[in-house]
Amino acid sequence: MSYVLNDPATFADESAAGFVAAHRGLVRRVPGGVARTSATPDGHVAVVIGGGSGHYPAFAGLIGEGLAHAAAMGNVFASPSAQQVYSVAKSVATEAGVLLSYGNYAGDALNFDIAQRRLKDEGIPCRRVRVTDDIYSASPDEMEKRRGIAGDFAVFRAAGWAAAQGKSLDEVFEIADRANRRTRSLGVAFTGCTLPGAEEPLFTVPAGHMGVGMGIHGEPGIDVRPLPTATELATLFVDGLLGEIPESVGASDGARVGVIVNGLGAVKGEELFLLYGLIAARLEDTGITVVEPEVGEYATSFEMAGVSLTLLWLDDELEQAWTSSADAPAYRKGAVDRTATAPAGVVQDAIDPQLAPVTAAGSEEAAAAGLTAQLVIRAINDVVEAHADELGRLDAIAGDGDHGIGMQRGTRAAVDAADRAAAAGAGAGTVLSLAGDAWADKAGGTSGALWGAALRAAGVRIGDSAQPSAIDVAEAVAAGRDAIQDLGKAEVGDKTLVDALVPFAAELSAGVAAELPLAEAWTSAASVATAQAKATSELLPRMGRARPHMEKSLGTPDPGAISLALAMTAAASALAGRRSEEGEVK
């Protein structure tokens, strides 16, 4: 558990502020994360990493010479938003371009990809490398589905070294990508971890046992086994990773590996060194040479008692990267020049888009529709606040347990934006669009990106010029549905919020086509969404973090579908109340 905190919702921001205060000579705060105090040299590629908070020293601790130029920092166990990634990248980008690198999780992939498109649209060259080192999270035939754990460090080292050599964006990408393809990791957990403010850990491990193949977001192990001796654990690690030597490793490379023995939070240094000694001996017995091993904490998960082994199969160029000098808050090696300073004005486009002026609607009717949209956003926030703990518990069964707090952060930000827009007399389109942008920015993660995209798409369809009709509203909901499916790629049956959203949109469209009042049609559609959300308990997840633990989720409904149903039911009550006040929904 976390002993030092104020409000769990502000934990990540307050921690980041303290981190920057402690390392002012190395890092500076930029919108969405942190960056080096030194400017990116002209003609050098900027390496931008990132992910959720709760994994220190990943990601902020790995900012510095020989490593990354900046890190986008999401909330606890949640990816940074696209706006955060974009702002951080802009703060360090040069004409040579940006390489984005991050763990392969659904929320990170969504938000980093959106930011990448935005950077490219502005003429900034940008490529990305998703880290996929965890051998337990998917089979060798589905490498692209594997998640990133402590192997992040190996890839970031390769990318940072290549950028420091002044290599082109394509060259930096190729070296980082090669490092990823030649990196394999396996982890175990002896206990779970607890989110700040939570009373229970995300998962538990039976006494005298360990979970094999756990994730760094509190995802439980794929397999539970009796607790081994240290020698047996070393054997499990080495044999597991040697059972999958990357295809790209050739005889000409020699049998040389970079090794990372990574503690997840509660396993202490003496234990890690004991384990490394046994691992090194077993590797040497098989004819493998260990090159400058790393033993310590590189990617943690709060107080989780666990450990992982990572092997990076080296070639000559990757060995240069692995053994090179670096100077970051959490990692120092060799000698690095610290004399460069950041020039004024290095941060670009750092203005919070939520503070931009709001244009009033063109008519009283359109402004009244904006007030209705505000009431709907407020109702959604109220129901999320009431059910946040329940949503977190549902998510913890096969995921990382952050869905409740993520929805809280998103809806709170959406309410603030909706209130500001409605107070300025904005129409429903602007209220929904700004609420969506704020939701996506502050929530981060997969649900933040999806809800944000849906509200913006709905807002664009409704617009601000007039009072929307029931048909307009149904078409706006359909636009939101399309935005979610286009961005997330989920279909009905994948056990996501789409399983509730698609039938909701269909029922709403059918109701308004039958000329039912909007509030009545919405209430009926919300009932359908609720039934379909509950029915997801019989599905196995085919996407997202729950996929590696699909059997554990059987019998439990999808938290995203449940939160969608709760939100739509709350919205129905808001619309019904508005209708009773004014005779019809405005």
Side-chain angles (χ1 to χ4, degrees):
M1 62 176 291
S2 298
Y3 298 96
V4 182
L5 74 159
N6 293 313
D7 181 351
T10 63
F11 178 88
D13 286 338
E14 291 182 293
S15 176
F19 166 75
V20 172
H23 297 287
R24 294 190 188 282
L26 291 173
V27 297
R28 59 192 165 96
R29 197 79 159 102
V30 297
V34 297
R36 295 183 191 177
T37 53
S38 58
T40 307
D42 289 340
H44 281 217
V45 171
V47 176
V48 176
I49 62 176
S53 298
H55 306 303
Y56 192 83
F59 297 89
L62 304 179
I63 302 304
E65 301 294 330
L67 275 159
H69 295 78
M73 300 169 64
N75 286 299
V76 175
F77 289 3
S79 76
S81 69
Q83 174 63 32
Q84 288 176 299
V85 177
Y86 167 80
S87 295
V88 169
K90 286 278 285 186
S91 75
V92 295
T94 71
E95 71 282 2
V98 174
L99 179 83
L100 304 174
S101 190
Y102 48 93
N104 186 34
Y105 298 88
D108 295 280
L110 279 175
N111 286 293
F112 275 86
D113 282 359
I114 293 170
Q116 180 182 10
R117 288 197 297 270
R118 188 172 174 186
L119 292 166
K120 285 184 172 181
D121 288 345
E122 293 185 9
I124 298 174
C126 188
R127 300 197 69 173
R128 51 92 168 157
V129 174
R130 296 177 184 167
V131 183
T132 54
D133 58 304
D134 182 8
I135 68 169
Y136 252 69
S137 56
S139 69
D141 295 334
E142 295 184 307
M143 296 282 290
E144 74 285 352
K145 294 182 179 179
R146 287 182 170 177
R147 60 197 175 196
I149 50 176
D152 282 357
F153 179 75
V155 177
F156 299 163
R157 285 283 277 141
W161 171 82
Q165 307 312 302
K167 294 182 182 293
S168 70
L169 178 59
D170 286 344
E171 290 171 323
V172 174
F173 164 80
E174 191 281 325
I175 291 168
D177 181 62
R178 191 187 336 145
N180 180 54
R181 288 184 284 108
R182 296 168 72 106
T183 300
R184 299 289 187 273
S185 298
L186 195 165
V188 301
F190 313 117
T191 69
C193 62
T194 307
L195 294 176
E199 297 181 357
E200 300 293 336
L202 293 176
F203 70 91
T204 58
V205 179
H209 290 73
M210 69 178 182
V212 181
M214 86 299 147
I216 60 170
H217 297 91
E219 304 96 331
I222 306 297
D223 187 18
V224 176
R225 301 183 187 180
L227 191 65
T229 64
T231 299
E232 291 168 340
L233 181 57
T235 300
L236 169 70
F237 276 145
V238 174
D239 290 358
L241 294 184
L242 293 188
E244 194 183 303
I245 298 175
E247 294 180 359
S248 58
V249 176
S252 61
D253 294 324
R256 297 171 296 153
V257 295
V259 173
I260 304 169
V261 175
N262 175 63
L264 270 293
V267 177
K268 306 315 296 178
E270 290 84 351
E271 296 171 274
L272 296 177
F273 285 122
L274 187 160
L275 181 61
Y276 170 72
L278 297 168
I279 288 170
R282 189 160 184 84
L283 287 171
E284 290 165 2
D285 286 345
T286 64
I288 294 173
T289 300
V290 175
V291 178
E292 298 190 14
E294 301 289 352
V295 181
E297 292 184 344
Y298 300 89
T300 62
S301 189
F302 282 108
E303 87 286 16
M304 182 187 291
V307 63
S308 63
L309 173 65
T310 298
L311 299 183
L312 165 61
W313 294 85
L314 300 168
D315 57 24
D316 290 343
E317 194 168 42
L318 290 177
E319 186 167 343
Q320 290 183 62
W322 180 249
T323 59
S324 64
S325 298
D327 187 15
Y331 182 81
R332 291 173 185 170
K333 188 170 189 175
V336 171
D337 180 11
R338 280 200 189 184
T339 59
T341 58
V346 71
V347 179
Q348 306 175 53
D349 289 356
I351 298 174
D352 186 343
Q354 290 299 312
L355 300 180
V358 177
T359 302
S363 67
E364 291 185 7
E365 292 79 9
L371 293 175
T372 298
Q374 176 197 24
L375 289 176
V376 168
I377 297 296
R378 280 186 159 275
I380 291 173
N381 177 65
D382 289 344
V383 77
V384 166
E385 294 281 5
H387 291 83
D389 289 345
E390 173 194 349
L391 294 172
R393 285 193 296 271
L394 287 175
D395 193 33
I397 290 173
D400 54 15
D402 71 339
H403 185 66
I405 195 169
M407 289 289 289
Q408 261 185 325
R409 288 189 295 257
T411 58
R412 287 176 181 177
V415 164
D416 290 343
D419 287 351
R420 188 172 72 90
T430 293
V431 171
L432 292 173
S433 295
L434 292 182
D437 291 347
W439 190 322
D441 188 29
K442 299 304 181 184
T446 305
S447 65
L450 296 180
W451 273 94
L455 287 174
R456 171 155 281 281
V460 169
R461 170 59 188 83
I462 285 180
D464 297 315
S465 60
Q467 175 184 316
S469 66
I471 291 176
D472 291 331
V473 173
E475 290 180 354
V477 169
R481 173 203 62 204
D482 292 345
I484 282 178
Q485 290 196 273
D486 180 63
L487 190 60
K489 310 303 180 187
E491 301 290 342
V492 172
D494 285 341
K495 196 165 188 174
T496 70
L497 65 82
V498 167
D499 289 293
L501 176 58
V502 167
F504 172 82
E507 182 70 14
L508 180 62
S509 294
V512 299
E515 299 185 353
L516 292 176
L518 177 60
E520 186 176 335
W522 193 291
T523 299
S524 176
S527 296
V528 170
T530 299
Q532 293 302 313
K534 292 178 179 177
T536 60
S537 62
E538 302 305 315
L539 299 175
L540 291 174
R542 299 193 295 231
M543 300 187 74
R545 290 181 188 168
R547 183 188 55 79
H549 308 278
M550 57 175 62
E551 290 80 7
K552 293 182 179 180
S553 77
L554 191 62
T556 302
D558 177 68
I562 292 295
S563 61
L564 186 283
L566 289 169
M568 295 305 96
T569 301
S573 297
L575 291 172
R578 189 73 166 156
R579 181 187 182 202
S580 64
E581 287 178 8
E582 302 190 14
E584 184 51 88
V585 176
K586 301 293 187 185

